[in-house]
Amino acid sequence: MQNTNRLSSWSQRLRQQLTQNRLYELFLPNPISKASLRGDIFGGLTTGVVAIPLALAFGVATGMEEGAQAGLYSAILLGFMAALFGGTAPQVSGPTGPMTVVATAFLATGAQPAHLFLAVVLGGLIQIVFGLLGFGHYVRYVPRSVVSGFMSGIGVIILLLQIQPILGDKAAPAPLKALAGFTDSLARVNLTALLLGVSTIALIYLVPRLTKAVPSTLIALIVMTAVAQILGLKVPTIGDLPSGLPQLQLMMPSADALSHILLAALTLAILGSLDSLLGSVVVDNVTGTKHHSNKELVGQGMGNMLSGAFGGLPGAGATMRTLLNIRSGGQTALSGIIHSFLLLGVLLGLSRFASQIPLSVL
């Protein structure tokens, strides 16, 4: 009886704190505006298509047997929850390079995939606690020069990692390896793939001179993919994609494994929070808006918890995909939600269409 009264007292105090500090607002879904409906649709579709090979690549990089599925599950579940509940309206979330590196290193210690999924769930829970404690406000102390360097670095990485695919060769796993392998890739260049890639770039810049009703990136993607299919061009494509809905993956670990899982969870939470909030600052600089740091942490945490529970990789706000979303017209959470539904459609039967997209076009 005494324990019951004590529990009731604690519950009442928590409710009072949540009400007085309005912390419940951190868990409210984001509004969707009809004014930006067209831009959100185009942004979500464009970003979703580009996210397919990235999600697959990050999943395969972990070395897990079903890594490709895990990458897609993360992009779908984390992307949906972070868009709906996060604090940066046009931010697109999913598996990212830094988070994948931590996941891969954790698995390399001998941990089982089930241990990783639990670490992702616990890491998401820690992110929610970070948001409730107000840790997101500290991002305001990041110097503008750091943000500028972060944005410039992303641009350089994007360019370097696209060297091999646009030449019709296999993509390099890292920027420096892309530079090191440039000569070899140039020696075995696929001129057809290179022509498709250059034509795609040309369309992206030429289409806005004719019309701005539809994002030029989406038009270029569709047109050049159609050209490759109609002419039967022999170029590398996305290829076979996984299918089927995710299933609940949680299990209780042994006592020995729990300490390693908790350490991995804390690492993922800290890295994912920094990665996402830096991306949020970039969005502010590009759009002239103001994100909600603590709400962003809560949204990312909810997304990672759901991703881990259903066998998905850890993830964060993906700055490259977010900038593409903004450029394609995305302004609200709807764009990130559409991005997730498109990826879900791939699992449910659209894979045969997406698999034909040439990598040089992407």
Side-chain angles (χ1 to χ4, degrees):
M1 184 67 176
Q2 184 177 2
N3 290 336
T4 303
N5 292 336
R6 186 178 300 172
L7 182 62
S8 176
S9 175
W10 287 347
S11 177
Q12 185 176 0
R13 289 181 187 175
L14 181 59
R15 285 198 300 269
Q16 290 176 351
Q17 183 177 357
L18 289 174
T19 303
Q20 291 173 358
N21 296 329
R22 302 177 68 86
L23 294 181
Y24 64 89
E25 292 183 351
L26 297 179
F27 296 92
L28 296 178
N30 292 314
I32 295 173
S33 173
K34 293 182 180 179
S36 60
L37 181 61
R38 186 176 68 175
D40 286 334
I41 292 175
F42 288 143
L45 291 176
T46 306
T47 312
V49 171
V50 173
I52 294 172
L54 290 173
L56 295 172
F58 285 133
V60 172
T62 62
M64 291 192 296
E65 184 177 346
E66 297 185 349
Q69 288 94 319
L72 272 182
Y73 295 161
S74 174
I76 293 169
L77 298 171
L78 171 59
F80 177 81
M81 295 297 288
L84 189 59
F85 295 101
T88 313
Q91 179 124 287
V92 175
S93 301
T96 62
M99 298 294 276
T100 302
V101 168
V102 174
T104 305
F106 179 59
L107 290 170
T109 63
Q112 299 298 315
H115 296 162
L116 171 63
F117 300 145
L118 181 56
V120 177
V121 172
L122 294 176
L125 180 59
I126 295 173
Q127 284 185 294
I128 293 176
V129 173
F130 284 169
L132 292 174
L133 294 177
F135 286 178
H137 291 312
Y138 292 108
V139 75
R140 73 180 68 174
Y141 298 111
V142 177
R144 287 188 175 273
S145 58
V146 172
V147 177
S148 176
F150 184 71
M151 294 175 68
S152 301
I154 288 172
V156 172
I157 290 172
I158 290 175
L159 290 173
L160 292 178
L161 290 180
Q162 302 317 304
I163 291 176
Q164 272 79 11
I166 203 169
L167 293 175
D169 202 2
K170 184 178 179 181
L176 292 181
K177 290 185 178 180
L179 276 177
F182 173 71
T183 304
D184 293 336
S185 296
L186 193 61
R188 53 176 179 265
V189 60
N190 183 326
L191 292 178
T192 304
L194 179 59
L195 182 60
L196 280 177
V198 172
S199 300
T200 303
I201 295 173
L203 275 179
I204 289 174
Y205 285 98
L206 292 176
V207 167
R209 298 185 180 185
L210 302 176
T211 178
K212 294 184 179 180
V214 181
S216 60
T217 48
L218 186 59
I219 292 177
L221 187 68
I222 294 174
V223 169
M224 298 315 299
T225 300
V227 168
Q229 287 300 301
I230 293 172
L231 298 180
L233 302 180
K234 302 297 182 182
V235 292
T237 62
I238 291 180
D240 294 337
L241 299 173
S243 60
L245 292 174
Q247 297 179 350
L248 196 65
Q249 297 286 338
L250 290 181
M251 61 172 287
M252 287 300 296
S254 64
D256 294 335
L258 189 57
S259 60
H260 297 290
I261 292 174
L262 290 174
L263 180 60
L266 181 60
T267 304
L268 290 171
I270 294 174
L271 181 60
S273 298
L274 290 173
D275 201 1
S276 298
L277 291 180
L278 277 176
S280 298
V281 174
V282 171
V283 171
D284 289 350
N285 279 271
V286 172
T287 63
T289 56
K290 183 69 175 176
H291 75 278
H292 192 314
S293 298
N294 293 320
K295 186 170 175 57
E296 180 64 25
L297 291 180
V298 170
Q300 292 290 334
M302 294 171 70
N304 273 308
M305 288 187 71
L306 191 62
S307 175
F310 285 92
L313 294 181
T319 308
M320 299 183 201
R321 278 158 273 175
T322 299
L323 294 177
L324 175 61
N325 179 40
I326 294 171
R327 175 168 181 167
S328 300
Q331 298 180 41
T332 73
L334 181 60
S335 57
I337 293 173
I338 291 174
H339 146 274
S340 294
F341 274 110
L342 177 63
L343 294 175
L344 178 61
V346 169
L347 289 179
L348 297 179
L350 294 178
S351 57
R352 56 177 178 162
F353 300 107
S355 64
Q356 302 303 315
I357 300 173
L359 292 178
S360 62
V361 172
L362 276 176

